[in-house]
Amino acid sequence: MSDQPVEPVNNINDEHANVETEPTLSKSAKKRAKKQQKKASESADDQPSTEKIDGETSDGPKETTDEKAVDKVVPKKKDPVEMLVPMIKKFDVNGKPVRTIAGHGSVYLGEITPHNILQLKKLNEAVFPIAYNDKFYVEARTCGDLGRLAYYNDVVVGAVCCRIDDISDEKSLYLMTLGTLAAYRQCGIGTHLIYYALKLCKKMEEIKTMYLHVQVNNQTAVQFYERHGFTNDGIIEDYYRISPRDAYLLIKRIRM
C-alpha cells in the first residue's frame, strides 16, 4: 500500500469532473429545437411576471403595509398629563375663563388663629409693599369669620382680612387685605377669597356696602375688583406713606 495520502473527491478540479456529454444532433433537428425554444421564449414574454423585486412586481409597484396604513384613521392619543390630572375650568362673574390649578381639590380656606398668625404675617410681607403694625395682627388673631387663610397643598398662599365700619350711618365691610403669592396668581385663589367676603356680606344683613383702597399704580388689582362688581369712587390723596401715596377708593353696593 502507498504511503501517500489520498486526495478527497471534493477537491477534484471541475475540469476533471465526470460530466454527461450532450448527444450529437442533425442539422434539421437542431433547427427544429431552435424554433421550439424561440416559440417558448415568446410565449413566456406574453405572460405577466409576478416575481417580487424589492417589494415590486413587473406590472407595477407593490402596495406596502405603510401605504395601506395611510388611509386608516388613527385615533389621537390623549395627553397622559390630562388623563391623570384633569384641569377644572372656572369662570368669573362676567363669564370669562379663569385659570385654575389642576385638580383644585386641594385648595381650601381656613381660620386665622394664634397658632398660624405668623404665617399670615410672612404672607403679607411677601405680597404687599407696606408693613402692617402689630395692632393689625393682634386684631387678626381673633377676627373669627372676618379673616381666612387660603391653603394649597397645606401651604398658605393667600389671605383675606376684613373689618366692619360705620360709614354715613351704614354698615360696611372693609377689605383690609386680600392677596395671593405671586406664583399662585391667575389660578382662581383670589376669586375664592373675594367670594368668601361677598358671602359674609350677604350673610350679615346689616352690611350695605363693601370697600377697599388700592394704590393708583396697581392697575392689575383695580381690574380684578372691577371684574367683581366694584366701582372706582375717586382718588384719596396721601393715603399711603410709600410712593405713590395716592389710592383709589373702590366700592361695591351689596344692598340698598
Side-chain angles (χ1 to χ4, degrees):
M1 180 179 290
S2 173
D3 294 333
Q4 295 296 326
V6 178
E7 189 175 5
V9 175
N10 60 349
N11 282 351
I12 299 175
N13 294 331
D14 291 340
E15 61 186 24
H16 299 300
N18 294 326
V19 291
E20 185 177 353
T21 58
E22 184 178 348
T24 304
L25 299 178
S26 63
K27 290 184 179 180
S28 59
K30 287 183 178 179
K31 287 183 180 180
R32 288 196 300 270
K34 286 183 179 180
K35 288 182 180 180
Q36 291 177 357
Q37 185 178 3
K38 183 177 180 180
K39 186 176 180 181
S41 177
E42 291 176 353
S43 177
D45 291 340
D46 293 337
Q47 296 296 328
S49 174
T50 58
E51 183 181 0
K52 296 180 180 178
I53 305 175
D54 295 334
E56 296 183 0
T57 59
S58 60
D59 57 344
K62 178 179 174 60
E63 187 178 24
T64 62
T65 304
D66 293 339
E67 291 171 345
K68 292 180 180 179
V70 174
D71 297 331
K72 294 182 179 180
V73 178
V74 180
K76 184 179 179 182
K77 294 183 179 181
K78 291 185 178 181
D79 187 347
V81 176
E82 293 180 358
M83 295 172 65
L84 295 175
V85 188
M87 295 297 293
I88 299 176
K89 294 182 179 180
K90 290 182 66 65
F91 301 89
D92 59 22
V93 292
N94 297 319
K96 184 178 179 181
V98 178
R99 282 181 51 198
T100 60
I101 299 173
H104 213 2
S106 55
V107 178
Y108 65 93
L109 304 183
E111 295 182 1
I112 299 175
T113 69
H115 302 288
N116 57 29
I117 193 66
L118 290 179
Q119 291 179 291
L120 174 63
K121 185 175 183 179
K122 291 181 179 180
L123 174 80
N124 288 346
E125 291 173 351
V127 173
F128 302 110
I130 60 175
Y132 290 89
N133 55 31
D134 293 339
K135 181 181 178 181
F136 171 88
Y137 294 104
V138 170
E139 294 178 355
R141 292 173 61 180
T142 57
C143 64
D145 291 340
L146 295 178
R148 282 292 184 271
L149 295 176
Y151 291 85
Y152 176 64
N153 286 344
D154 297 326
V155 178
V156 176
V157 298
V160 59
C161 292
C162 312
R163 71 168 186 251
I164 299 176
D165 290 344
D166 290 317
I167 300 178
S168 301
D169 297 329
E170 286 186 352
K171 295 287 184 180
S172 183
L173 187 73
Y174 178 60
L175 293 178
M176 295 187 292
T177 61
L178 190 154
T180 305
L181 292 175
Y184 296 88
R185 291 169 189 167
Q186 303 298 319
C187 293
I189 295 177
T191 300
H192 270 274
L193 296 171
I194 195 68
Y195 281 173
Y196 176 79
L198 289 172
K199 288 180 180 179
L200 282 179
C201 294
K202 293 179 180 180
K203 183 179 179 180
M204 296 182 287
E205 296 181 358
E206 68 274 18
I207 300 296
K208 304 297 183 181
T209 59
M210 182 164 56
Y211 75 105
L212 73 152
H213 296 92
V214 175
Q215 271 186 297
V216 292
N217 65 334
N218 194 348
Q219 290 301 315
T220 301
V222 172
Q223 294 173 4
F224 170 79
Y225 289 108
E226 287 180 344
R227 288 198 303 269
H228 289 87
F230 286 79
T231 58
N232 193 330
D233 200 47
I235 296 177
I236 298 179
E237 297 181 353
D238 296 329
Y239 181 81
Y240 296 106
R241 296 180 181 177
I242 60 175
S243 181
R245 299 172 63 89
D246 298 343
Y248 288 124
L249 177 62
L250 303 180
I251 299 177
K252 179 180 177 64
R253 172 63 62 175
I254 304 301
R255 55 177 62 88
M256 301 302 295

